[in-house]
Amino acid sequence: MAHAAFTSAESDLAPVFQARALAKTYGEGDAMVRALAGLDLECRAGELVVVLGASGSGKSTLLNLLGGLDTPTSGSLFYRGWDLGGADEAGLTRYRREAVGFVFQFYNLIPSLTARENVALITEIAADPMTPEEALHMVGLGARMDHFPAQLSGGEQQRVAIARAIAKRPAVLMCDEPTGALDVNTGKAVLEAIERINRELGTLTLIITHNSVMAEMADRVLTLSDGHITGEKHNLTRAAASTLAW
Amino acid sequence: MSLLDLKLIRDLRALKSQAAAVAIVMACGLAMMIMTRSLIVSLETTRDAYYRDNHFAQIFSRLKRAPNSVSAQLAAIPGVATVQTGIALSVTLDLPGVIEPATGLIQSLPEQGELTLNRLHLRAGRILVGRESTGEILVGEAFAQANQLKPGDEIAAVLYGRRQNFRIAGIVLSPEFIFEAPPGAALPNNKTYGVFWMPYKELARASNLDGAFNQLSLQLVPGASEPAVIAAVDHILRPYGGRGAYGRTSHPSHTRLRDEINILNGLSIGFPLVFLSVAAFMTNAVMGRQITLQREQIAILKAFGFSNGEIGRHYLKFSIVIVAGGTALGVLGGVFLGERLVDMYHVFFRFPALNFQLASTVVVLAVLVSSIAAIIGVAGSVRAAVRLPPAEAMRPEPPSSYRPALVERLGFGRLFTVTFRMALRNIERRPVRASLTVGALALATGILIVPNAFRDGIGYVLDYQWDLIQRQTVMVSLIEPSPARTLADFKALPGVILAEPVRGAAVELRAGNQFRRLSITGLPAQAELFRVIDSSGRQISLPPEGIVISRKLADVLGVKIGEILFVRGLEGKRVEFSVPVAGLSEDFAGTAAYMEIGALNRHLGEGDRINAAYLTVGAGQWNEFLHAMKASPRAGSVVVKNKIRQGFRETTAQSIGLLQQIYLTFAAVVAFGIVYNSARISLSERQRELATLRVIGFTRGEVATVLVGELMMLTLIALPCGLLIGSGFARVILMTVNTEFVRLPLILTAQNYAFAVLVVAVASAISALLACRRLDQLDLVGVLKARD
């Protein structure tokens, strides 16, 4: 492990992610699929980036590479100067453990653990975590900490997932279609929680979605198509999540 | 081929390792069942044919001496079909190149023609016929093989105190000696004990029994009453020193074979049942998971119009394929192991030909039993699956609900890590499955206890017999009771350090309606070389009045200490007297009765006499002692303790070793199969959970701990249960060996337990590791993005 500390915030001005000619292909020969076709990207701390794109555009692949779930086929990818693209299995595990929080469309909570314990899973293994209670308060679930997933609504489950993702104070929060399985009002509550984390903790937040309405809450909007970044837009002002409607 | 069958084949391919695990566990049960049932059939049919073809007698008796004319009286008893009289003598043998003497029984061949009863089966050389002595002898096969004797070889025998050389004419088998061992022996010792035959004339001359006989065999007409004939025989032989006639049920060789078949009978039911129950549980677990995974497919099939019956049959076919595989493997395994065991039985039981016969009815039964086990295993899940309406089945299963585990509800939750609590709650949420897994693992542990308990029991008996009770170097028996001063002659032999007298007397012991015929052994009150031991391992000092008998004999006769036994002498002056039971001795082979030698001699009224002696011989003069002994005219037989002991060791090592290997392999297979399947099912059910843990930063090892932790917990619960179950199995199985002739004590050692725990733990660890390797193939992203 080359990099000293994944969680250090000493260089807020340096990019958190730096990708050059980042490419990922799956399969070989005729069956080869080019998911990412060589893109350049920089993301800075505290940014809220929304990545838009149709299915098959490569946005999930991008998230997998940035989140340390997969490695690129070519190109370079650095996380705070550490070669994330060339990391081995153990390096990726440590990176995910210390630097990244994930929120998925289908919550992926452990059904046998209560809300508090789902968060505690992380706080038990992280270096400088907040308490599970703190994290759950941040997402507005202070009152339902001892409920099992089966006793929570979809929106509540997703907020537990967010609390679990941020309890370790990650440098990066990766959200993959976080409202995909939710109705509008519940979805908004979830986006509000994400927005609050980004604002209060200064966590670089990437939201991957095909819902273009969410672009309004971002600092920057990237549009992906066929493995290329086909559009990049900076919002001068971010719309509050509570004002969004879809 | 229908599309559903094509789906079956592809699904089975995906499930192959789990299906194989179930089939192999099933095969173990079937192999054991086929092996033991076929062995029983082989032994019984071979024995019955041998008895029939070689005219094995139905009633037997020994006596002191009766003129040959008495045989006409015996033939006249109503119900008697054939009478055969002859001579039987103990003999000591001097084998070339072997220092220690062997002992045996030598029997006469008829003066004319061949034996009519207990006919010999010739293996090599030729049968001796005719009255004239030729200096030739027939030798039983077991002894001949153990000592590498063949026709034409010479052996020296001390017969009635006279040493003679004989040439071996033939190697033979006899239905009387299928189990070629001294009466009451649990295991053969073919190097030191043999059976022999020689012409009547020669044997009669050597034993001063010319024109007389001292043993007889009878065959009955069909429907004759055995007890009535026995009573009549005893009545006729009474004046001639008859020692009591007995039927096949008391015949040593017949009894030993019958005991063996009884043990096999027990094994053929108990163990296969255990394995097949485990296989049924495994089928249920595998198919239950398969059906849960295919919930949506079932819904689609039903939506397309497939009937419940068609879908039910489709899933039943899974188990049928598993049963077919398991049965094929089980039959092959059963035949393979059965053939090995037949080879082993050849060491114990000598038949003209003992061939492994695959009992076809057993195979049919095996298929039936395993099909039922599999159908029971799969029926529940199939029924649940076909009952589900298609629309409901197409929706994902509702999220599983959990609650804190019992220990947490009791307030101990804070003591455990989150992952440990996950395991606890998972176990508590599926209590039936957890208990079945525990049960199956416990059974696997338990079946490992039995073979080692057998081994330890036999070891204990040997040590008990040869260290605690008998501490002599040799036992010398005299040809006939001699004056007590004979002991002084033995004491004078080179190297003899200690000599103690023994007086044996054939008697009938009676209490109420129960009676047994055996020999009372008269010993010094505090003998050092043959000690009578009670159940707590202390030496019983033989009282000046009263008798000490085996605990088993007291059970059989229904007497307690202080009660009176009536003794009737069967030889000599045929005295009758009564004695109180003064103590109960603990022994494991046959039954025995002991009295202080002076008291016994007083009752017998023949003066101070001995008919055997126990001697301790210094190692330095061993060879000189043996040479002097072999030449001694008084010695009927010389038994060297260590020789016998070593023979026992070798035989038990052969037989118990093989059985132990079989059981060990099977138990390991079960342990392996159960843990592997449980881990695979757990992996399949919890892949989303495990993938989540990996994504949020748990290492592979940490996730494996979560997966295996639950199984480890179940294994830890199962191990002590298994030791208990195994001790129970051992107790039950050893009880089937608890006969009047052979008993095995239940010896459960820490090593036995440790070994069982180790085997199951190692098998579990290996299979868990194999299952964990699948964690690496987990598609983290794919699993997390999929809907539940």
Side-chain angles (χ1 to χ4, degrees):
Chain A
M1 173 88 26
H3 202 264
F6 287 128
T7 47
S8 91
E10 84 277 5
S11 51
D12 278 359
L13 294 174
V16 176
F17 288 121
Q18 202 163 24
R20 293 280 172 271
L22 191 64
K24 178 75 186 177
T25 53
Y26 295 102
E28 285 176 357
D30 289 345
M32 192 169 79
V33 176
R34 229 174 146 72
L36 281 185
L39 56 76
D40 298 335
L41 177 70
E42 280 189 7
C43 299
R44 291 177 190 280
E47 259 193 309
L48 196 158
V49 180
V50 168
V51 183
L52 291 175
S55 79
S57 61
K59 59 185 193 305
S60 290
T61 307
L62 179 61
L63 179 127
N64 292 347
L65 295 181
L66 296 179
L69 292 172
D70 207 346
T71 49
T73 315
S74 64
S76 67
L77 174 60
F78 285 89
Y79 165 78
R80 283 188 168 153
W82 175 67
D83 185 3
L84 171 59
D88 61 1
E89 176 62 39
L92 290 178
T93 300
R94 213 188 130 201
Y95 166 68
R96 293 199 302 264
R97 187 174 185 133
E98 295 177 8
V100 194
F102 283 98
V103 177
F104 290 96
Q105 182 180 358
F106 295 111
Y107 333 133
N108 294 319
L109 298 179
I110 310 287
S112 57
L113 298 179
T114 61
R116 190 201 305 265
E117 290 163 342
N118 262 287
V119 179
L121 264 183
I122 297 294
T123 59
E124 280 184 5
I125 62 167
D128 174 32
M130 54 181 91
T131 63
E133 292 75 14
E134 257 182 282
L136 285 162
H137 275 295
M138 281 196 83
V139 297
L141 274 182
R144 307 195 52 111
M145 287 196 286
D146 292 320
H147 287 68
F148 284 92
Q151 299 164 319
L152 297 170
S153 73
E156 287 170 329
Q157 289 187 51
Q158 190 61 302
R159 280 189 281 157
V160 176
I162 294 170
R164 184 177 66 185
I166 54 115
K168 63 174 119 171
R169 303 180 202 277
V172 189
L173 179 62
M174 302 276 181
C175 309
D176 190 357
E177 300 282 7
T179 60
L182 302 172
D183 63 62
V184 177
N185 286 331
T186 328
K188 267 175 23 180
V190 165
L191 290 179
E192 279 172 332
I194 292 173
E195 185 183 52
R196 185 173 168 205
I197 305 300
N198 169 256
R199 199 175 54 236
E200 292 184 7
L201 301 180
T203 312
L204 164 61
T205 308
L206 283 107
I207 302 176
I208 283 181
T209 180
H210 60 267
N211 182 351
S212 54
V213 176
M214 272 182 226
E216 292 168 35
M217 67 180 283
D219 291 306
R220 188 154 53 119
V221 183
L222 300 173
T223 310
L224 253 69
S225 173
D226 283 339
H228 296 280
I229 296 178
T230 54
E232 180 169 3
K233 181 184 145 202
H234 291 265
N235 288 333
L236 292 177
T237 50
R238 289 170 23 174
S242 57
T243 63
L244 301 182
W246 62 89
Chain B
M1 183 184 291
S2 82
L3 283 175
L4 272 187
D5 287 343
L6 200 61
K7 169 181 176 306
L8 175 73
I9 291 171
R10 297 203 176 135
D11 286 349
L12 272 170
R13 211 172 288 158
L15 263 183
K16 60 180 179 295
S17 51
Q18 283 171 272
V22 178
I24 289 170
V25 169
M26 193 175 276
C28 287
L30 293 180
M32 207 167 251
M33 182 166 145
I34 287 166
M35 167 185 95
T36 43
R37 298 297 327 169
S38 297
L39 268 176
I40 292 171
V41 172
S42 307
L43 284 172
E44 280 180 343
T45 52
T46 309
R47 177 196 64 188
D48 293 347
Y50 188 24
Y51 281 180
R52 192 182 55 242
D53 296 346
N54 290 49
H55 301 272
F56 182 50
Q58 285 157 298
I59 289 175
F60 311 83
S61 185
R62 296 285 292 271
L63 56 146
K64 192 165 168 61
R65 176 199 177 104
N68 283 340
S69 56
V70 174
S71 86
Q73 266 176 278
L74 293 164
I77 298 171
V80 172
T82 315
V83 177
Q84 178 175 281
T85 59
I87 298 170
L89 292 178
S90 316
V91 66
T92 300
L93 295 137
D94 187 2
L95 297 171
V98 181
I99 294 173
E100 289 88 350
T103 64
L105 187 74
I106 186 159
Q107 304 199 71
S108 63
L109 294 163
E111 290 182 84
Q112 282 172 355
E114 291 190 23
L115 290 163
T116 45
L117 298 179
N118 312 327
R119 286 184 184 172
L120 301 177
H121 176 91
L122 185 68
R123 280 291 209 207
R126 59 189 168 77
I127 291 278
L128 296 173
V129 186
R131 6 180 341 131
E132 280 319 305
S133 68
T134 54
E136 286 181 308
I137 195 167
L138 299 176
V139 183
E141 183 190 56
F143 180 81
Q145 272 178 357
N147 290 295
Q148 290 157 354
L149 299 173
K150 51 186 191 306
D153 287 352
E154 286 216 348
I155 50 173
V158 181
L159 207 58
Y160 229 67
R162 205 159 62 84
R163 190 190 153 92
Q164 266 181 282
N165 280 326
F166 294 97
R167 199 171 55 254
I168 297 172
I171 311 289
V172 294
L173 294 176
S174 160
E176 252 192 302
F177 299 96
I178 291 176
F179 184 66
E180 195 178 315
L187 296 165
N189 196 342
N190 298 324
K191 248 184 151 52
T192 57
Y193 183 87
V195 286
F196 309 89
W197 288 263
M198 58 191 279
Y200 174 85
K201 250 313 187 253
E202 195 157 5
L203 198 55
R205 223 176 280 141
S207 56
N208 301 323
L209 282 168
D210 226 344
F213 63 94
N214 71 356
Q215 75 157 0
L216 91 143
S217 307
L218 299 178
Q219 203 158 47
L220 304 180
V221 295
S225 157
E226 189 180 290
V229 174
I230 286 175
V233 169
D234 283 352
H235 181 73
I236 292 170
L237 294 183
R238 176 167 293 229
Y240 306 107
R243 294 199 195 150
Y246 54 89
R248 281 183 186 175
T249 49
S250 300
H251 188 276
S253 163
H254 179 86
T255 313
R256 182 64 183 76
L257 183 54
R258 187 197 57 202
D259 285 354
E260 191 68 32
I261 291 173
N262 284 344
I263 293 172
L264 281 175
N265 241 322
L267 294 178
S268 77
I269 298 166
F271 281 88
L273 207 63
V274 168
F275 281 88
L276 294 175
S277 323
V278 172
F281 154 64
M282 286 170 70
T283 314
N284 174 275
V286 171
M287 290 312 295
R289 182 59 197 158
Q290 178 75 354
I291 286 168
T292 308
L293 283 176
Q294 299 199 342
R295 215 174 129 92
E296 288 181 38
Q297 296 181 28
I298 293 169
I300 289 165
L301 290 173
K302 285 177 80 171
F304 285 174
F306 282 92
S307 72
N308 284 352
E310 283 168 311
I311 293 171
R313 272 196 298 281
H314 170 64
Y315 285 101
L316 276 179
K317 277 185 193 168
F318 271 93
S319 33
I320 289 169
V321 171
I322 293 174
V323 167
T327 308
L329 214 58
V331 171
L332 286 177
V335 171
F336 177 80
L337 294 173
E339 283 174 349
R340 299 289 93 71
L341 276 183
V342 160
D343 290 346
M344 181 194 99
Y345 274 115
H346 187 67
V347 176
F348 290 90
F349 302 111
R350 299 285 171 157
F351 292 100
L354 178 60
N355 293 318
F356 181 78
Q357 298 170 30
L358 178 62
S360 50
T361 50
V362 175
V363 178
V364 174
L365 187 70
V367 173
L368 210 66
V369 167
S370 51
S371 303
I372 290 171
I375 287 169
I376 290 173
V378 79
S381 323
V382 170
R383 208 173 42 232
V386 297
R387 266 193 193 158
L388 219 52
E392 200 179 312
M394 265 194 252
R395 273 198 292 273
E397 268 205 283
S400 346
S401 42
Y402 283 85
R403 60 173 186 163
L406 181 66
V407 277
E408 297 177 86
R409 298 202 295 278
L410 291 174
F412 299 106
R414 251 169 295 162
L415 299 175
F416 309 117
T417 64
V418 173
T419 46
F420 190 79
R421 276 182 252 172
M422 277 168 71
L424 281 180
R425 290 172 195 174
N426 271 323
I427 290 173
E428 210 176 289
R429 189 167 157 269
R430 310 286 294 267
V432 175
R433 193 161 78 186
S435 343
L436 286 173
T437 307
V438 167
L441 276 171
L443 290 176
T445 316
I447 52 175
L448 280 166
I449 301 289
V450 178
N452 286 343
F454 255 93
R455 180 202 58 197
D456 293 342
I458 291 172
Y460 179 84
V461 169
L462 293 185
D463 289 348
Y464 187 86
Q465 191 66 35
W466 304 120
D467 286 336
L468 207 60
I469 298 185
Q470 300 196 33
R471 310 209 290 188
Q472 82 282 10
T473 324
V474 292
M475 186 184 99
V476 183
S477 59
L478 303 171
I479 293 158
E480 50 189 0
S482 310
R485 62 174 182 280
T486 316
L487 193 66
D489 298 345
F490 289 128
K491 270 188 184 149
L493 287 172
V496 172
I497 297 165
L498 192 61
E500 284 182 353
V502 183
R503 171 74 161 115
V507 298
E508 179 184 287
L509 293 181
R510 183 180 287 273
N513 289 328
Q514 296 297 323
F515 70 94
R516 283 293 181 275
R517 286 170 177 170
L518 74 169
S519 175
I520 296 182
T521 307
L523 297 166
Q526 280 279 5
E528 285 190 36
L529 299 183
F530 190 107
R531 308 190 313 153
V532 182
I533 304 290
D534 68 11
S535 57
S536 54
R538 278 190 295 269
Q539 181 171 10
I540 301 175
S541 178
L542 297 173
E545 187 55 35
I547 190 166
V548 173
I549 59 174
S550 305
R551 212 150 54 92
K552 185 75 188 175
L553 184 60
D555 282 350
V556 172
L557 295 175
V559 291
K560 291 195 278 291
I561 291 179
E563 295 183 351
I564 302 291
L565 275 181
F566 298 94
V567 183
R568 187 162 67 84
L570 297 174
E571 321 166 287
K573 294 190 170 174
R574 311 184 77 85
V575 292
E576 292 188 17
F577 58 97
S578 52
V579 281
V581 176
L584 300 182
S585 70
E586 188 73 54
D587 41 26
F588 298 102
T591 50
Y594 305 97
M595 286 181 76
E596 196 276 317
I597 188 165
L600 179 63
N601 271 326
R602 236 177 1 262
H603 281 296
L604 295 173
E606 296 173 20
D608 273 352
R609 300 182 92 80
I610 67 170
N611 45 10
Y614 286 112
L615 309 177
T616 313
V617 181
Q621 284 176 282
W622 182 235
N623 290 352
E624 291 92 319
F625 167 80
L626 286 173
H627 283 300
M629 201 67 246
K630 281 181 183 177
S632 161
R634 286 182 185 277
S637 70
V638 178
V639 176
V640 179
K641 184 175 90 173
N642 280 341
K643 190 88 176 161
I644 292 190
R645 187 177 190 159
Q646 187 197 340
F648 277 131
R649 283 251 162 77
E650 283 165 9
T651 323
T652 46
Q654 266 179 38
S655 58
I656 300 295
L658 179 62
L659 279 174
Q660 208 181 348
Q661 272 171 21
I662 294 176
Y663 279 76
L664 171 67
T665 313
F666 284 4
V669 165
V670 174
F672 188 90
I674 291 164
V675 180
Y676 180 72
N677 251 349
S678 302
R680 284 296 302 272
I681 288 168
S682 179
L683 180 66
S684 153
E685 284 174 349
R686 298 167 66 187
Q687 50 179 340
R688 171 179 291 267
E689 197 170 302
L690 300 172
T692 303
L693 293 177
R694 285 287 283 133
V695 165
I696 64 178
F698 276 61
T699 61
R700 231 177 246 169
E702 285 165 339
V703 175
T705 317
V706 172
L707 174 66
V708 174
E710 205 177 306
L711 279 169
M712 271 171 31
M713 231 182 272
L714 296 180
T715 309
L716 281 180
I717 300 170
L719 287 174
C721 301
L723 298 182
L724 270 178
I725 292 175
S727 309
F729 281 162
R731 189 180 295 277
V732 169
I733 289 179
L734 288 182
M735 251 159 51
T736 65
V737 193
N738 184 0
T739 67
E740 237 178 291
F741 304 96
V742 191
R743 293 177 291 283
L744 272 184
L746 181 62
I747 303 293
L748 295 166
T749 60
Q751 286 99 313
N752 187 350
Y753 284 161
F755 179 74
V757 167
L758 191 74
V759 169
V760 173
V762 167
S764 301
I766 292 174
S767 54
L769 274 179
L770 276 179
C772 281
R773 277 180 44 186
R774 301 225 149 220
L775 273 180
D776 302 347
Q777 297 160 18
L778 212 56
D779 171 13
L780 300 185
V781 180
V783 169
L784 294 182
K785 289 199 169 176
R787 206 171 56 147
D788 248 325

